[in-house]
Amino acid sequence: MSADDHSPGSPARPYDQGAWWRDAVVYQVYPRSFADANGDGEGDLPGVLARLGHLADLGVDAIWLSPFYPSPLADGGYDVADYCDVDPRYGTLADFDALVAAAAAKNIKVIVDIVPNHCSAEHPWFRAALAAGPGSPERERFVFRDEPNNWQSVFGGPAWTQVPDEQWYLHLFDSGQPDWNWRHPDVVAMFERVLRFWLDRGVAGFRIDVANMLFKQEGLPDVVPGSQGGPLSPGHAAVPYEHQPELLDLYRSWRKILDSYSGDRGAAPVCTVAEMWFGHPDQARPYLKGDGLAQLFGFGLMPTPWSAEEFRTVIDTSHRLARETGGSIPWVLGNHDVPRMVTRFGVDQDLVRAPTPEVLLGRMDVDAELGARRARAAALLLLALPGGAYIYQGDELGLPEHLAIPDEARQDPMFERTLRTFMGRDGCRVPLPWSGATPPYGFGAGRTWLPQPEDWAALTVAAQRDDPGSTLNLYRTALAIRREHPALGDGDLTWLDAPAGVLALARDPGFTLMVNFGAEPVPLAWHHDVLLASGPLDGDLLPPDTGVWLS
Ligand code: GLC
């Protein structure tokens, strides 16, 4: 692909010209649930290494590892007690190095997760801050106040917790995750050391956790009542802890560090991908235009119901924003924070638009077969759109959300913090099924840290590997075609004039994607050679809930 394809904005982003991430397919590994090498019921880094073959066969370009750092797991590892080590439950730094080397041998890059908004209450600096008391320099690295303001935690409940000496500390997430004070030079310097630590170990990129929140408005003004979104809601209005202008300078300074690892050393440039829900394109534009962040996740499709019109609106908004800024917004259909798409697409779609209290608790009717069909069609859409894409572990197997986890087994702090009105995010974090007919399906030896459903025998990697019609083989074939086909990956798209309920787009040269979101079969059009279909075709007709790649 020539640099010219990467249009406007590029002079401000010299590192970005034709960069590998602009059309990469990245697979998200949630280490605790991917593969368990030591049989303790929790995944680990040697487990990932042992299963690299699965990822190489799938054909992904990179993996992103969710946090594997030492952590008391108040929030599944997004509460980091030491940013420069591996939690013993996941292995050692030597295991990490071995994984990076083995992945490189298979042409797979490794992206790590950096969690800069907050640490763990067990982090040595937070313990020192508690011990040192009010007014101490140690407390300045965090956000301690004598009186809390009205901010609410993203996980539910107040964003402040009182300590025995009566001061309060800010935590926009769980009380086990104190927010850093990003106006303190120690914090800035510490994260620069963290970046260099992992760069020295050969990582290809950083996924930046809650990248929009680090800086808080001076004076910590109250939020205007009603302007805060619900738990992890995509549409936060402007609140005084999001999108502060200092973020742009911070990410620019990080980019300088990252570039110092590629230029002279001849290595590929280093990616940053920011977790940043943006309610409106205006919130995202400055980051995409600026020369700091390489990518913002394109989360828009995740909360979108199964509707051609609604999908098209989201795709248009993101794609236009990417073209206009020259930035990169990889597509996402699932991650460790949202219900699995098989389940999202298998319920009454009005419940996706407006979840009821029952839905928040996972108590609704799900047509899993319908959801699985739609999720397969969505996979063909994901991989045909211009730009990069992220695949969440288990989506390549068509796993549904596990809705029947007993309350006492739930681990996500959101369950308790929302006073049990939201089931939390455990249902998409269940250990993967590798083989066998009953739990633990080849994941370790016995009990898994979250229970697996009893009916996943047909969904294991082993069961799907040799079945040409399996979801796993659909993904494999799609990725293989994507690697070879000149129209796929980065570039542009043209909408085709399709019947209502059908989404059709062309990519040059000679490629058409059609997805039938409607209830009636529609004729295949524009091209007639079927490269790949997400389900059986009916002669020259594309059945409902089916997608097809044509040339
Ligand atoms: C991000 C992570 C989520 C975590 C939160 C707090 O949203 O994806 O899993 O709970 O940040 O770190």
Side-chain angles (χ1 to χ4, degrees), residues 98-175:
L99 174 58
V100 172
K106 294 188 182 306
N107 268 324
I108 297 175
K109 298 181 161 66
V110 175
I111 294 174
V112 295
D113 212 313
I114 186 165
V115 187
N117 181 68
H118 44 262
C119 58
S120 158
E122 297 295 314
H123 191 283
W125 283 10
F126 190 71
R127 290 159 74 120
L130 287 185
S136 61
E138 286 85 349
R139 286 213 174 171
E140 294 296 312
R141 295 169 175 153
F142 297 90
V143 186
F144 278 89
R145 290 291 181 273
D146 293 333
E147 295 292 334
N149 64 13
N150 73 349
W151 296 0
Q152 295 293 298
S153 155
V154 177
F155 286 170
W160 297 88
T161 289
Q162 197 167 28
V163 300
D165 57 47
E166 300 204 337
Q167 276 210 313
W168 301 75
Y169 68 90
L170 175 70
H171 54 86
L172 285 171
F173 294 86
D174 188 67
S175 56

Side-chain angles (χ1 to χ4, degrees), residues 64-67 69 78 111-115 206-209:
W64 146 36
L65 295 167
S66 277
Y69 315 113
Y78 282 92
I111 294 174
V112 295
D113 212 313
I114 186 165
V115 187
F206 295 92
R207 179 263 188 191
I208 307 173
D209 191 61

Side-chain angles (χ1 to χ4, degrees), residues 355-364 421-424:
T356 59
E358 286 72 33
V359 170
L360 292 178
L361 288 169
R363 298 185 193 136
M364 68 277 184
T421 56
F422 170 49
M423 63 183 165

Side-chain angles (χ1 to χ4, degrees), residues 75 78 115 118 155 173 177 207 209-210 232 275 336-337 425 429:
D75 179 24
Y78 282 92
V115 187
H118 44 262
F155 286 170
F173 294 86
Q177 296 169 292
R207 179 263 188 191
D209 191 61
V210 289
L232 290 185
E275 187 207 20
H336 64 294
D337 290 329
R425 301 162 293 174
R429 299 175 177 180

